Amino acid sequence: MVFGFYDPANGIVSMHAPRTDPDILRSFDDWAPNIPALPCTGNYRPGEVFTGADVISRDEFTSTDFYNELWRPGGFSADPLVTNLFADGAASGHIASHGLLNQSPFHSSQQRLFAALAQHLVRAVALQRRVYHLTIANERTLTGLDGLQQGFVLVDAKARPLFVNRAARALLDARDGLRLEAGAVSASDADAARALHGLIKSCAGDAGAVTGSGGELALPREAGRLPLDVVVTPVKQETATAIMPWTCSEHAIAIVLVSDPEREVQARVEELCRRFGFTPAEAAFALEIVKGDGRQAAADRRGITVGTARSHLSRIFDKTGSRRQAELVRLLLQK
């Protein structure tokens, strides 16, 4: 048996034959532009059996340099049974059954057996190609969701997570504001937990839900920390299955998006440090100045003295080249 792949658009000609000298197979690349009638093999639909003689006559083929210098030394017959396993534009993959050299052509029973085998192989290759593309799509989906700064959780009607991205996993593991209880997404605060479950139930059209379809919620955290911002939105089952096919056996009803304002602030602090060379303290104070209620209010929120605030602001002006506070705010708001 010989498997071949032909893709002229990308300059690919590949042959695989387990019982053939690897050096001979590698030399196919050198012969690629001059292999007789190779482009014609793509004219046959997958599963349709044809012979070498259907593409090029035996006499014509055996008179070529390709046949005498590579094909015959490789032990390939001049009139194999062939079928395309797939045909995608000009590209095609085929499998060929070769008899022994100088052997009579395949008889009818052998041709019928090969034809039956061809149908199974075509279906197997079609399935494998679908699974391959599906796997790639899934991997891209996972990579994209794991790249989000927000937590992303796909849940069923009982708030059980069907998919959790990296940011959401970190928040659940911290168990501060958001947590897992008895296998379901919940909140650390009892009232917030009831409200969260109510929003999720509403996405399923639950008669017991008192809210509309999804909604927003703040999940309290430990003293001194900003609450988590949560948005619950309904999702159609077909949409969830298209994005994440491995959830098709479950009934996804909602997406829970969780934003951590402290993480967003930290990301802005790091950005300002990179852009302007601020220290973390200066960057944090600059973000307070952006709120627009003055230096004293900014100092109070940061828990620093007016003198320290004045010193921070002076260095911030120097590093940004700003002269007035309004000009500084506009600059800091630019991305």
Side-chain angles (χ1 to χ4, degrees):
M1 287 287 186
V2 176
F3 172 79
F5 179 73
Y6 177 62
D7 183 1
N10 294 300
I12 299 174
V13 176
S14 177
M15 301 292 287
H16 304 273
R19 298 182 179 180
T20 302
D21 185 341
D23 290 335
I24 291 178
L25 290 178
R26 281 192 289 270
S27 64
F28 266 98
D29 292 339
D30 299 328
W31 281 95
N34 302 304
I35 298 178
L38 181 58
C40 299
T41 60
N43 296 335
Y44 296 87
R45 61 177 176 78
E48 181 181 359
V49 177
F50 58 96
T51 68
D54 292 325
V55 179
I56 184 173
S57 71
R58 182 184 180 89
D59 289 343
E60 183 181 358
F61 183 51
T62 56
S63 66
T64 63
D65 291 340
F66 172 75
Y67 173 81
N68 290 290
E69 295 181 27
L70 186 141
W71 197 258
R72 190 173 187 280
F76 304 120
S77 65
D79 197 20
L81 290 175
V82 188
T83 188
N84 282 321
L85 297 176
F86 69 90
D88 186 1
S92 63
H94 68 269
I95 189 168
S97 179
H98 290 261
L100 297 175
L101 286 176
N102 303 318
Q103 186 184 52
S104 59
F106 290 99
H107 52 71
S108 59
S109 63
Q110 290 174 316
Q111 293 178 7
R112 287 195 298 271
L113 180 62
F114 183 79
L117 175 64
Q119 302 306 314
H120 292 290
L121 292 175
V122 168
R123 285 194 291 270
V125 169
L127 178 61
Q128 180 60 35
R129 295 184 83 208
R130 288 181 62 189
V131 169
Y132 172 78
H133 290 300
L134 186 61
T135 300
I136 295 299
N138 290 348
E139 289 175 353
R140 289 174 178 169
T141 300
L142 287 173
T143 300
L145 293 175
D146 270 341
L148 293 176
Q149 288 191 354
Q150 294 82 13
F152 178 103
V153 188
L154 185 70
V155 298
D156 66 11
K158 294 183 178 180
R160 293 175 300 197
L162 305 179
F163 173 77
V164 180
N165 76 345
R166 186 176 301 156
R169 174 58 60 191
L171 292 170
L172 288 168
D173 289 345
R175 297 181 64 83
D176 184 13
L178 190 70
R179 63 197 302 176
L180 283 177
E181 281 298 338
V185 176
S186 189
S188 302
D189 178 81
D191 291 337
R194 283 190 290 272
L196 176 60
H197 292 159
L199 293 178
I200 292 173
K201 285 182 179 180
S202 73
C203 294
D206 192 302
V210 296
T211 62
S213 185
E216 300 179 6
L217 178 68
L219 301 184
R221 292 199 281 185
E222 293 177 353
R225 300 200 65 186
L226 296 174
L228 297 174
D229 297 322
V230 175
V231 176
V232 179
T233 184
V235 61
K236 294 181 179 179
Q237 177 64 29
E238 55 267 31
T239 301
T241 301
I243 297 174
M244 287 167 279
W246 61 91
T247 66
C248 61
S249 62
E250 307 289 345
H251 187 62
I253 66 156
I255 292 172
V256 179
L257 285 174
V258 188
S259 299
D260 183 352
E262 292 180 0
R263 180 174 179 178
E264 293 171 3
V265 169
Q266 182 59 34
R268 286 286 287 135
V269 166
E270 292 172 359
E271 178 198 0
L272 293 177
C273 289
R274 287 193 300 270
R275 284 178 62 192
F276 302 110
F278 293 163
T279 65
E282 291 166 354
F285 184 72
L287 291 178
E288 296 297 337
I289 287 294
V290 168
K291 295 178 181 178
D293 52 358
R295 184 175 58 190
Q296 180 65 61
D300 291 342
R301 285 192 295 271
R302 291 296 300 160
I304 58 178
T305 65
V306 174
T308 301
R310 187 182 299 112
S311 177
H312 282 337
L313 193 56
S314 176
R315 287 194 292 270
I316 289 170
F317 277 132
D318 289 342
K319 291 179 180 180
T320 59
S322 303
R323 295 180 181 274
R324 294 184 300 276
Q325 193 162 308
E327 178 186 357
L328 172 65
V329 170
R330 285 196 298 273
L331 181 62
L332 295 176
L333 289 175
Q334 292 175 357
K335 296 292 185 180

